[in-house]
Amino acid sequence: MAEKKTTKSRCPVFKKCGACQMIDTPYETQLRKKHAHVAELLKPYCKVESFIGMESPEHYRCKVHAVFDHDRKGNPITGIYREGSHEVVPVDSCLLEDQKADAIIATIRGMLKSFKIKTFDEDNGYGLLRHVLIRIGKNTGEIMVVLVTVSPVFPSKNNFVKALRKDHPEITTIVLNVNDKQTSMILGDKEKPIYGPGFIYDICCGMKFKISPKSFYQVNPIQQEVLYKTAIEMADLSGDEVAMDCYSGVGTIGLIASPHVKEVISVELNKDAVKDAILNAKINEVKNITFYQNDATVFMQQMAESGDKVDLVFMDPPRSGSTPEFIRSLIALSPKKVVYISCSPDSLANDLKLITKGGYKVKRAVPVDMFPFTRGSEVVCLLTKEK
């Protein structure tokens, strides 16, 4: 019997990590496979247009997280948790992560011994440094480093900052985040900048956005721009529409749509995200947008009951999709168009079943490759109200 050939993966930790299932699949093949999956799911509703891929699909992640641990000899290691466990797989460089972020993490790891900083040990609770999170403004070049520790006391922090910035002068802010709980959450509640303002800016579709350690902002800024431009273009706006942005986060879609419509109503439940959104509107001098901190379902029901009208609804729900209650209130509100941005084609298909039963027709579906080398896909759908 012929021996089965084992080909070496492009990534040395591919088998242990589990984050990129298609790292060894040629890019065109990845897009074909993903397209087939989306097309199969959306077959009852419309023909799926061709996938918008990336010209250079590597090193796209501008938000990079490293777990800090140590080996049996006590030497610091950095990496990610092995899938489904709390065992750290050491990673020096990743084909998905921004190379500058990987270099900063390696520098921090190399500095720990001379600063006598111990990495945190989950088993006995000793040590200080748990995680490092790097966020990069792809279009501004600004870089944030978040040091996640179990205590607010960071020994010789000024010298640590100086040494880190000597190697990486492009770092624009460093934040100390305290997470002293036994939790799988990376960031704790308490944080303070130890260098710079404690946040960075990035630009998307000509708008400037403030990014704090906890802000939601897409990990792939190049495709984020493609995704939102596709959504705006698909909406085919005339300039006199009243648009509603549901699950609006830090206001990204609503703000990007604002120059193309008469008015934007933005609804988001998370208090901190709404604060960021209001600030983002100020930064961009956008006057035709109003932010409401509320559950989108409740808010829409109230609007429908009071007879308020909107022409268009943008919805970008979480991975689990929308809820039957939300869809019922959307149908009651009865906008002419709905632009649905989905990060899970499976939950999109479930939601489309309900929305189309409520008198809407899917006109277009465009998949965007937001997460090359993984199974993930984003899809933008246009639905219109049937006469």
Side-chain angles (χ1 to χ4, degrees), residues 244-259:
M244 189 170 177
D245 178 14
C246 298
Y247 310 100
S248 63
V250 295
T252 332
I253 298 165
L255 288 167
I256 290 166
S258 65

Side-chain angles (χ1 to χ4, degrees), residues 113-161:
K113 269 202 167 146
S114 59
F115 278 90
K116 297 185 172 55
I117 292 168
K118 296 260 190 289
T119 57
F120 182 65
D121 189 317
E122 281 190 350
D123 297 329
N124 59 28
Y126 289 119
L128 177 69
L129 187 62
R130 292 180 84 149
H131 309 273
V132 169
L133 178 71
I134 314 264
R135 302 196 71 163
I136 295 177
K138 191 76 174 171
N139 297 307
T140 57
E142 295 182 17
I143 298 177
M144 178 201 301
V145 176
V146 185
L147 305 166
V148 184
T149 58
V150 287
S151 149
V153 180
F154 196 93
S156 41
K157 68 168 183 259
N158 295 347
N159 288 337
F160 190 89
V161 166

Side-chain angles (χ1 to χ4, degrees), residues 162-307:
K162 213 179 272 175
L164 180 56
R165 288 200 69 255
K166 185 169 178 273
D167 277 356
H168 300 282
E170 62 280 10
I171 293 170
T172 49
T173 190
I174 301 171
V175 178
L176 192 62
N177 176 284
V178 182
N179 183 353
D180 52 10
K181 296 187 175 69
Q182 270 203 303
T183 170
S184 58
M185 297 289 278
I186 297 163
L187 297 175
D189 296 328
K190 296 190 283 285
E191 61 189 31
K192 64 167 188 201
I194 54 174
Y195 172 77
F199 56 84
I200 57 169
Y201 289 112
D202 198 21
I203 292 163
C204 178
C205 299
M207 293 273 174
K208 197 172 177 183
F209 292 96
K210 178 190 171 194
I211 303 169
S212 311
K214 290 193 181 104
S215 297
F216 175 79
Y217 194 74
Q218 297 277 10
V219 297
N220 184 340
I222 293 168
Q223 291 296 81
Q224 167 175 265
E225 187 140 326
V226 171
L227 184 76
Y228 294 153
K229 276 182 175 163
T230 304
I232 303 290
E233 176 245 333
M234 205 181 254
D236 189 23
L237 302 162
S238 64
D240 55 7
E241 292 91 350
V242 175
M244 189 170 177
D245 178 14
C246 298
Y247 310 100
S248 63
V250 295
T252 332
I253 298 165
L255 288 167
I256 290 166
S258 65
H260 310 280
V261 296
K262 189 167 93 181
E263 185 194 344
V264 182
I265 298 161
S266 178
V267 192
E268 166 61 48
L269 193 55
N270 181 311
K271 190 164 85 248
D272 294 330
V274 174
K275 261 193 207 145
D276 276 348
I278 292 167
L279 193 92
N280 287 331
K282 272 205 187 97
I283 293 164
N284 294 289
E285 297 178 0
V286 174
K287 306 276 198 291
N288 64 337
I289 189 164
T290 318
F291 298 98
Y292 296 93
Q293 191 216 329
N294 203 334
D295 179 288
T297 305
V298 173
F299 190 83
M300 268 186 160
Q301 277 166 338
Q302 289 168 348
M303 280 189 77
E305 281 161 16
S306 60

Side-chain angles (χ1 to χ4, degrees), residues 58-111:
E58 292 180 1
H59 304 294
Y60 59 83
R61 286 191 69 97
C62 282
K63 179 183 179 184
V64 174
H65 160 238
V67 188
F68 274 64
D69 201 353
H70 43 267
D71 62 17
R72 288 203 178 105
K73 291 178 183 159
N75 299 312
I77 58 169
T78 59
I80 57 164
Y81 290 124
R82 186 194 281 263
E83 208 176 6
S85 81
H86 262 220
E87 177 201 335
V88 177
V89 176
V91 177
D92 283 332
S93 65
C94 166
L95 289 161
L96 268 53
E97 293 171 355
D98 184 283
Q99 287 163 297
K100 177 57 71 185
D102 282 348
I104 293 169
I105 289 161
T107 300
I108 293 171
R109 186 179 64 226
M111 285 166 60

Side-chain angles (χ1 to χ4, degrees), residues 33-51:
K33 282 183 170 177
K34 290 190 193 188
H35 189 277
H37 176 64
V38 176
E40 182 58 37
L41 285 166
L42 302 193
K43 197 158 70 180
Y45 311 106
C46 72
K47 190 174 186 297
V48 174
E49 294 173 38
S50 53
F51 235 101

